[in-house]
Structures are given as C-alpha cells and as structure tokens.
Amino acid sequence: MTDSDALRDAIGTFATGVTVVTFPSDPPHGLTANAVSSVSLDPPLVLVCIDHDTESYELLDSGEVDEYCINVLAADQQHLGEYFARMTELEENPFEAEATRTAATGAPIFEDGLAYLDCEVWEAVPAGDHTIYVGEVQDLAVLDEEAEGLTFFRGEWGSTA
C-alpha cells in the first residue's frame, strides 16, 4: 500500500489547471480545486472532487446548497487559487474585491477568469476521503480567449505560457 505523500508526489507530476469552485451560500464560499474533469457532453456533465474536511463538503452534504460554479483561473489569478486553498490571506474578501456576477445557480462567477461552468449537482459519489460531485452544466461561458491559464505542477504554480 502506498502512503499519501507518495501518492501526492506521483499525481503531482500530472499538470492541471486550477479552478475556484464557488457556492451560492450566504455568505458566499469557495475552494480551490484541480480535481476537475468533463464527464459527458450529452447531458453536459462535469465533476469536481471535494475533501470531506472542508466547509464546501459540509455545505453540499448537508443539502444547504446543491449547486456550484467552476471558475477556471487565468495565470494572473494565482492569488485567488492560494486564498481559496487557505495558503494565504488577502487584505479584502475576493467576493467583494474582485468583479463577480452570477448566472443560473446564483454561485459567484469571477469575471476576470478564463471560463466558468455553472452546475447543479446531478450525482454525488463517495470516494475515500472525498466525494465526487458530478454536476449538470446549467450555464457556461469562455470569458477570455487570449489569457494564459493558471497551472499546478509538482507543487508549484505556473501558467500555460
């Protein structure tokens, strides 16, 4: 059996994009996630894996919310990735300091991101210390077709440049 550090090191060699998943809660809430993937085109489904030791999981598991928005971050939004991963503090709440709006679900959309996928939970699948939330896309858009994407590789932030 492998230990969690070895697994983290091995999977860390798989470069990923970085997202902030937001929820239509009061107050608004979000978390950084890179375990995100498309699942199906018909119906339009995407997934996000959420750790059981997070407030995000508590919101979804309790039934308080059943929607989320996957905000795909641009390279210049590392501060959001770090903040929602609880790696750093910011002087101002990003939900107040950044340009945001909402779409179908009411979850915040960061307008300066690359894209968003606004989802309603279609299915929840427990998997170890996470739950896989498959969401049916209710609304989506590419917000910036020219910006570089934020990446995470071997524990380091980077970009698609």
Side-chain angles (χ1 to χ4, degrees):
M1 182 168 237
T2 61
D3 69 26
S4 60
D5 289 336
L7 177 58
R8 187 179 312 254
D9 288 346
I11 202 66
T13 65
F14 180 66
T16 65
V18 181
T19 71
V20 168
V21 180
T22 57
F23 302 90
S25 55
D26 186 21
H29 177 74
L31 94 152
T32 300
N34 63 355
V36 173
S37 180
S38 65
V39 175
S40 168
L41 294 177
D42 187 17
L45 303 174
V46 295
L47 69 77
V48 61
C49 299
I50 299 186
D51 189 318
H52 292 167
D53 289 334
T54 63
E55 184 179 337
S56 301
Y57 172 73
E58 291 175 17
L59 286 169
L60 289 162
D61 188 55
S62 70
E64 186 175 333
V65 299
D66 64 353
E67 299 102 1
Y68 57 86
C69 185
I70 299 171
N71 291 270
V72 182
L73 299 185
D76 64 356
Q77 293 180 303
Q78 180 177 333
H79 63 287
L80 293 177
E82 290 176 344
Y83 175 82
F84 287 106
R86 298 186 188 269
M87 297 170 71
T88 188
E89 293 291 324
L90 297 175
E91 288 185 24
E92 293 184 75
N93 180 330
F95 291 118
E96 296 169 6
E98 304 282 328
T100 62
R101 65 181 172 94
T102 61
T105 71
I109 297 164
F110 289 105
E111 292 186 28
D112 293 330
L114 292 182
Y116 72 88
L117 300 112
D118 203 24
C119 303
E120 183 176 313
V121 174
W122 191 71
E123 185 172 3
V125 181
D129 59 0
H130 283 62
T131 293
I132 303 164
Y133 288 95
V134 178
E136 184 170 16
V137 178
Q138 304 297 307
D139 190 34
L140 60 96
V142 173
L143 301 171
D144 190 333
E145 294 185 15
E146 296 181 19
E148 299 296 331
L150 183 61
T151 62
F152 202 70
F153 176 70
R154 291 189 171 146
E156 299 292 327
W157 301 94
S159 78
T160 55

